[in-house]
Amino acid sequence: HKDKGWCLSLAGAHWSVAQSIQDVGAQWRFALLPRKLQWLVANCRTRFGPFEVQKAPNGHVLLRCGATRGNLRVGPEGNTGPGGGGGPWARFELVVAGPSLRLKNVGNAEKGWHLGVKGRALIGTAPADDSSLFVFQVAEGSEADEESWQAALTTYLDFDESATLTAAERRQFVDDGYIQKKQVVPQELVQAALAEINKALCSPENVKVSEVDGTTQYCPGVGASPAVRDLLFAS
């Protein structure tokens, strides 16, 4: 039944015919299903894919990007995109991080490169201490369409339907073009950004004077770090 993508799994004390993976915390769960697609959800909010997640040797996984696009790969220069086969550049090791996962690229393991998020894009050169954490989420009602399916490696956030504006806030937005809301950025993003800023403050080079105009910069470069950028692009 290779064409159906079925494999054996242990259901209770009985063997059953099952499909591939629905991954939570690097523990495999199995179900008798057609080949399902799965979203790769970063930091509880940002969604990429969907991918067809396939098992590879040594407990690694492949993220298939579409019918004709091959697997997600991270090349030796850090270029991230579809077109991979089954080699080390296209394989990922699942590293448990609490209830979430980090995806370490096998081909670039010596460099410590993991999947991460920069702006709205999925990148393959994030360091091990990057703030990007992932979970797999089944794309309900979505099966691998061999003709039209393509995984998206950039994303836009879905609108949060729980966000509400009062009549006064709506009026201020119409009149002034902006409103200010407090306590709306998820705390996990705030804490990750604060950790990055505090680390920069402890650096001996956290104060830099420009040789051009003499202005003083504090923690130069920290604003471009993924954790700080996530305050804007992942909230």
Side-chain angles (χ1 to χ4, degrees), residues 81-92:
W89 311 120
R91 295 184 189 177
F92 295 90

Side-chain angles (χ1 to χ4, degrees), residues 74-93:
V74 181
E77 302 300 322
N79 50 310
T80 305
W89 311 120
R91 295 184 189 177
F92 295 90
E93 176 187 350

Side-chain angles (χ1 to χ4, degrees), residues 21 23 26 28 53-62 91-95 104 106:
I21 32 179
D23 200 320
W28 308 116
V53 185
Q54 301 175 334
K55 293 182 68 175
N58 300 318
H60 301 151
V61 296
L62 302 168
R91 295 184 189 177
F92 295 90
E93 176 187 350
L94 302 178
V95 181
K104 182 177 183 179
V106 175

Side-chain angles (χ1 to χ4, degrees), residues 47-202:
R47 196 168 67 175
F48 300 94
F51 301 96
E52 182 182 353
V53 185
Q54 301 175 334
K55 293 182 68 175
N58 300 318
H60 301 151
V61 296
L62 302 168
L63 303 180
R64 187 165 174 248
C65 298
T68 59
R69 302 183 75 202
N71 297 311
L72 181 68
R73 71 185 296 272
V74 181
E77 302 300 322
N79 50 310
T80 305
W89 311 120
R91 295 184 189 177
F92 295 90
E93 176 187 350
L94 302 178
V95 181
V96 178
S100 305
L101 298 168
R102 298 186 191 277
L103 279 75
K104 182 177 183 179
N105 184 254
V106 175
N108 293 290
E110 292 185 358
K111 300 171 187 170
W113 285 355
H114 293 64
L115 283 186
V117 179
K118 184 175 182 179
R120 296 188 299 269
L122 192 65
I123 63 172
T125 57
D129 59 352
D130 182 73
S131 62
S132 301
L133 296 174
F134 296 92
V135 295
F136 286 101
Q137 183 181 86
V138 173
E140 293 297 337
S142 177
E143 299 179 7
D145 186 332
E146 292 300 329
E147 295 182 358
S148 61
W149 152 58
Q150 291 188 0
L153 306 184
T154 57
T155 187
Y156 291 89
L157 293 175
D158 294 332
F159 183 77
D160 188 348
E161 298 293 344
S162 66
T164 57
L165 300 178
T166 65
E169 289 171 331
R170 291 174 184 270
R171 172 52 56 187
Q172 180 188 357
F173 183 74
V174 172
D175 292 342
D176 302 333
Y178 74 93
I179 58 172
Q180 182 180 8
K181 299 284 285 184
K182 297 182 178 180
Q183 304 296 322
V184 296
V185 178
Q187 278 301 303
E188 61 267 22
L189 297 184
V190 173
Q191 294 304 318
L194 284 174
E196 194 71 20
I197 293 169
N198 289 335
K199 183 171 68 174
L201 286 172
C202 294

